[in-house]
Amino acid sequence: MFLQSKVELFQLSESLEQALEHKHSSEFLSQLDVPAAQQLQAGCGQRSYKKGETIYYQDDEANYLYIILKGYAKLGSLTSDSSEFTYAIIGPGEPFGELGVYQKSFYADTAVALSPLEVFRIHRNTFFQLSINNLSACDALSRLVANRYRSYIRATRCVSMKNMSARLANTLLRIAEQIGKTVDMNGTEIECIGSFVTQTDIGYMARCSRSNVNRKLKCWERAGIVEIHDRSILLHDRKFLEQASSEGELEGSVAKF
């Protein structure tokens, strides 16, 4: 019997009741069967982090696999020129730190809390002891590593784009897919990126400065493509952003924005 959603895993313990509020699905947790989930929960420890606090640094020894209960975190690394590159923003139900745990080595990225953050962490020895006797745990971790790699490839393709408009549009769409919510605007559901994602964070993902992000967003706001409301970003014209995110579509009417 396998778990149908992360909610079923969280129901295994009263200490996880707060996670029932989350509406985000978790592919990693849904792949665990009930015995694996029970053993995993028994080996979990809970910890909180302040906004801006680093959970771990790139090249630290990878002792724990983390799962977010509340809040949001960003994952990134330093490039060859020592600049910061953020490739993912993740929220409730999402695991991180998996690559170092999978390799029993060091973290390949740096994880930082974007908001007050509560996580469960599982020591790698606990996880691998579980995976010896339970294939669902090993399979779940393997799929997580593969999905994270796919996410990283998407991010590197984005920053390789020559046009800043393409990079920014692509970044907004990826953030919306990763942690975006919808809000009702006069009866219409609009995608929204929360205010905890700063324009500096967006710049780290899109390979451009905060000032350039700000100028482009204001330009798009005047055109009705996005709207900045209480520091949140509403995506009014997804079709435009999808078109702009492809460098091949940046001629003519798209380029003027």
Side-chain angles (χ1 to χ4, degrees):
M1 177 181 177
F2 286 82
L3 299 175
Q4 298 302 310
S5 70
K6 75 181 183 67
V7 170
E8 292 181 43
L9 170 59
F10 290 151
Q11 286 174 330
L12 294 173
S13 171
E14 291 183 359
S15 66
L16 299 175
E17 284 183 355
Q18 57 187 305
L20 294 173
E21 301 173 3
H22 303 324
K23 296 181 180 179
H24 296 256
S25 62
S26 175
E27 183 178 352
F28 172 73
L29 296 175
S30 67
Q31 291 167 2
L32 299 177
D33 60 24
V34 172
Q38 290 173 330
Q39 293 179 56
L40 194 62
Q41 183 271 323
C44 283
Q46 190 169 348
R47 183 166 176 181
S48 299
Y49 295 89
K50 298 177 181 178
K51 178 180 178 180
E53 188 174 357
T54 299
I55 296 101
Y56 60 75
Y57 289 97
Q58 183 177 343
D59 295 329
D60 281 353
E61 187 172 0
N63 289 321
Y64 294 97
L65 174 69
Y66 297 84
I67 300 175
I68 296 179
L69 282 177
K70 284 187 176 182
Y72 297 87
K74 65 177 180 178
L75 307 177
S77 59
L78 292 178
T79 62
S80 57
D81 62 358
S82 297
S83 59
E84 183 176 340
F85 167 51
T86 298
Y87 70 88
I89 295 176
I90 56 176
E94 291 301 314
F96 60 100
E98 69 287 334
L99 185 57
V101 169
Y102 186 80
Q103 295 179 319
K104 299 182 181 180
S105 59
F106 304 96
Y107 291 117
D109 52 18
T110 295
V112 178
L114 279 182
S115 67
L117 186 70
E118 293 182 20
V119 301
F120 271 104
R121 61 181 193 175
I122 306 102
H123 196 278
R124 68 182 187 187
N125 292 342
T126 300
F127 192 92
F128 277 101
Q129 185 62 38
L130 168 63
S131 65
I132 291 174
N133 300 315
N134 192 296
L135 291 178
S136 76
C138 188
D139 184 59
L141 183 60
S142 299
R143 289 176 181 270
L144 175 58
V145 170
N147 288 338
R148 188 75 73 206
Y149 177 71
R150 189 176 296 112
S151 173
Y152 185 82
I153 291 298
R154 287 186 64 192
T156 55
R157 285 177 177 171
C158 171
V159 297
S160 69
M161 295 178 179
K162 296 179 180 179
N163 187 288
M164 193 199 78
S165 294
R167 297 196 303 273
L168 181 56
N170 183 284
T171 296
L172 293 178
L173 291 172
R174 284 190 295 115
I175 295 174
E177 290 172 5
Q178 291 168 355
I179 50 87
K181 298 182 179 180
T182 58
V183 296
D184 183 270
M185 298 286 289
N186 299 319
T188 302
E189 294 293 316
I190 303 295
E191 289 179 286
C192 176
I193 297 173
S195 60
F196 57 87
V197 180
T198 68
Q199 293 184 15
T200 299
D201 295 323
I202 294 172
Y204 285 145
M205 295 186 75
R207 191 169 58 84
C208 53
S209 67
R210 181 199 175 281
S211 59
N212 283 337
V213 171
N214 183 263
R215 280 195 293 269
K216 183 60 66 175
L217 288 177
K218 286 182 176 179
C219 176
W220 285 351
E221 187 171 30
R222 289 192 295 270
I225 297 163
V226 302
E227 178 184 350
I228 301 174
H229 180 71
D230 291 336
R231 294 189 297 176
S232 294
I233 302 174
L234 305 178
L235 309 185
H236 285 285
D237 193 343
R238 168 175 266 274
K239 184 177 180 180
F240 172 89
L241 294 173
E242 290 173 345
Q243 183 182 5
S245 67
S246 172
E247 284 188 291
E249 300 293 330
L250 289 173
E251 300 295 331
S253 62
V254 177
K256 70 181 180 181
F257 295 120

